[in-house]
């Protein structure tokens, strides 16, 4: 690839393993495109693929991607669109070979390359990672770039950072150097925006009622320029919308502080500037980059044990007393109890009059927490609270996973580009690194002058998006105007955040300010226990945590309402 005056148009067709199957075809056929990316991996996905690999050593990759190529490989080759995907999961070489086989069966000859080195499982003990089921380092963009420079039509990777799927093609196309920090950081920001597919075009958006044709939103694409700036847009005529709001929401998704660290560059999210350039076009500029940290993140997934649950439905009066009776009757079970007060007084429907009491059991013996506890619950049917019933009959226990993030020196992580002709290129670790430190929060803007206030939901004046990072959750909150930002920056302190979300009251909460985005990001450590697969709470991925926050009532200046 060689750089030119025109931007590189990089689209996305998958935000997770299970995303819209038709998206690959839609993106290839819907408009001009140079590169198509697909993100299939998440912390939970690695655990699923690890279990697949236990049953079949030849498995371990996202089979959906192969099925999508059945009808689209010819189109991609004909249009000269190169495909870069992390669907290789735990077996990128296996998926690359499967793509070649598919090409032969279709009478096509795609040049297929892959990136490997992220799988550290054989060296887990040596690196101090314990005995996990999977242990994969988050590789960067340069292996992808080497594959594309060697003429690959399709590049398959294992665990790379999500943003590397965009930064790699951009680096190859524009001929960036390893220390072009600002350009690389700009591409990382663009990659972060489009990596989750339609979340950038109105999906899961706080103000979703403002988004047109959300029944079938189009997938996003980034027009990346030689300096790393970009324009986020989508194919003409597709549903959804690209606005400063939708891009802001996605920028806040699953981040920590102002320094967004990766294996290639640390992007300064506090330097990001957004500007609406036209309908469905948002320009990202001003992003500054710094050398990456000296260590690389490694995601370790482990089978933590077995899990089972029983749900009791409590209806009508005396909900708390009914729940207490069940707990006393099943006190011999080592269970985690949660009472969800979904009931309403004087309800017109029985379901609206009911609450749910959930008992979760964990252990290493699936027989001990399998059907016996469920049977013990059912045996109470005629001997417990009035209206007794459960949501499901007794069931077997199921395995659950534990995710932990570790960090190893970058020099300890191999990074190899396996080219279309079988040649191998070793990617050196970064020559310059910088220890990661927090950015000190800048002085907030002046507060609004005193005035009348009204008790109302926070979400009337602020958007939010939340997500998971291992056992931690993040909640990004942004204001839609300068006055609202002045109020938000002074009102939503860490202490107020804990008050509004009592589940976080006893946990470490860190606030990070991003004034350019008129946003605050809160990181709550430990809310998700041992990660998504552990299922520590009703919303195990914290996807709705931001919406809970927006629903809480606070005193809002009437001028903002």
């Amino acid at each position: 690839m060689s750089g030119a005056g025109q931007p590189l148009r990089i689209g996305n067709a998958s935000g997770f393993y299970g995303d819209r199957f038709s998206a690959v075809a839609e993106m290839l056929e819907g408009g001009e495109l140079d590169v198509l990316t697909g993100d299939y991996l998440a912390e939970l996905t690695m655990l699923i693929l690890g279990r697949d690999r236990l049953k079949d050593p030849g498995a371990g990759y996202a089979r959906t991607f192969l099925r999508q190529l059945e009808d689209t490989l010819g189109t991609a080759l004909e249009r000269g669109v190169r495909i870069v995907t992390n669907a290789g999961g735990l077996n990128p070489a296996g998926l690359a070979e499967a793509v070649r086989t598919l090409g032969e069966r279709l009478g096509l000859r795609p040049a297929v390359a892959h990136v490997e080195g992220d799988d550290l499982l054989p060296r887990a003990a040596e690196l101090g990672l314990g005995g996990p089921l999977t242990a994969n380092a988050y590789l960067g963009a340069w292996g992808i770039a080497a594959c594309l420079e060697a003429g690959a039509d399709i590049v398959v990777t294992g665990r790379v950072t999500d943003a590397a799927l965009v930064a790699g093609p951009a680096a190859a196309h524009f001929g960036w150097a390893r220390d072009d920090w600002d350009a690389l950081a700009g591409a990382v920001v663009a990659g972060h925006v489009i990596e989750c597919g339609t979340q950038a075009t109105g999906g899961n958006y706080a103000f979703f009622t403002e988004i047109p044709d959300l029944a079938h939103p189009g997938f996003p694409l980034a027009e990346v320029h030689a300096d790393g700036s970009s324009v986020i847009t989508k194919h003409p005529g597709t549903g959804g919308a690209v606005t400063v709001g939708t891009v802001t929401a996605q920028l806040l998704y699953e981040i920590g502080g102002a320094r967004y660290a990766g294996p290639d560059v640390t992007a300064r999210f506090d330097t990001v500037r957004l500007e609406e350039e036209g309908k469905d076009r948002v320009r990202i500029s001003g992003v500054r980059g710094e050398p990456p940290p000296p260590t690389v993140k490694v995601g370790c997934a482990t089978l933590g044990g077995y899990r089972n649950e029983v749900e009791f439905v409590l209806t009508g009066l005396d909900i708390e007393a009914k729940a207490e009776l069940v707990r006393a009757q099943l006190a011999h079970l080592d269970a985690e109890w949660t009472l969800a007060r979904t009931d309403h007084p004087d309800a017109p429907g029985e379901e609206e009059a009911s609450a749910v009491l959930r008992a979760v059991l964990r252990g290493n013996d699936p027989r001990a927490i399998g059907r016996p506890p469920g049977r013990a619950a059912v045996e109470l049917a005629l001997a417990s609270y009035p209206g007794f019933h459960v949501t499901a009959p007794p069931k077997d226990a199921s395995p659950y996973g534990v995710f932990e993030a570790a960090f190893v020196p970058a020099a300890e992580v191999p990074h190899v580009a396996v080219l279309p002709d079988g040649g191998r290129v070793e990617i050196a670790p970064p020559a310059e690194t910088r220890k990661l430190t927090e950015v000190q929060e800048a002085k907030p803007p002046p507060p609004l002058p005193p005035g009348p206030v009204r008790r109302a939901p926070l979400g009337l004046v602020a958007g939010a998006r939340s997500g998971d990072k291992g056992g931690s959750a993040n909640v990004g909150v942004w204001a839609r105007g300068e006055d609202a930002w002045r109020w938000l920056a002074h009102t939503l302190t860490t202490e107020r955040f804990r008050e509004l979300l009592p589940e976080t009251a006893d946990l470490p909460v860190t606030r990070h300010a991003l004034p350019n985005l008129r946003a605050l990001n809160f990181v709550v450590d430990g809310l998700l226990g041992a990660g998504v697969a552990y299922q520590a709470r009703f919303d195990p991925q914290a996807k709705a945590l931001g919406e809970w926050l927006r629903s809480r009532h606070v005193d809002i200046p009437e001028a903002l309402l």
Side-chain angles (χ1 to χ4, degrees), residues 5 12 41 84 88 96 169 195 201 222 228 291 305 359 416 422 443 452 480-481 513 526 543:
N12 171 279
L41 302 184
V84 181
E195 72 186 41
T201 59
V416 180
K443 184 179 179 181
R480 301 215 282 179
K543 300 299 187 187

Side-chain angles (χ1 to χ4, degrees), residues 504-522:
T504 72
D506 299 323
L507 296 172
V509 178
T510 307
R511 176 178 123 152
H512 305 277
L514 300 169
N516 282 6
L517 301 177
R518 298 185 181 126
L520 302 171
N521 187 48
F522 294 87

Side-chain angles (χ1 to χ4, degrees), residues 84-173:
V84 181
T85 178
N86 62 14
L90 301 178
N91 188 6
L95 179 56
E97 185 57 34
V99 171
R100 292 187 194 96
T101 301
L102 172 65
E104 291 174 4
R105 180 161 60 81
L106 297 175
L108 303 169
R109 299 193 65 183
V112 184
H114 74 273
V115 177
E116 61 187 31
D118 62 295
D119 191 351
L120 302 181
L121 188 61
R123 299 170 55 209
E126 168 198 340
L127 295 170
L129 303 175
L133 176 65
T134 67
N136 294 80
Y138 287 72
L139 301 182
W142 296 105
I144 295 170
C147 292
L148 292 170
E149 288 166 353
D153 298 312
I154 297 177
V155 181
V156 173
T157 78
R159 178 76 276 186
V160 296
T161 65
D162 300 339
L165 301 176
V166 168
H173 183 74

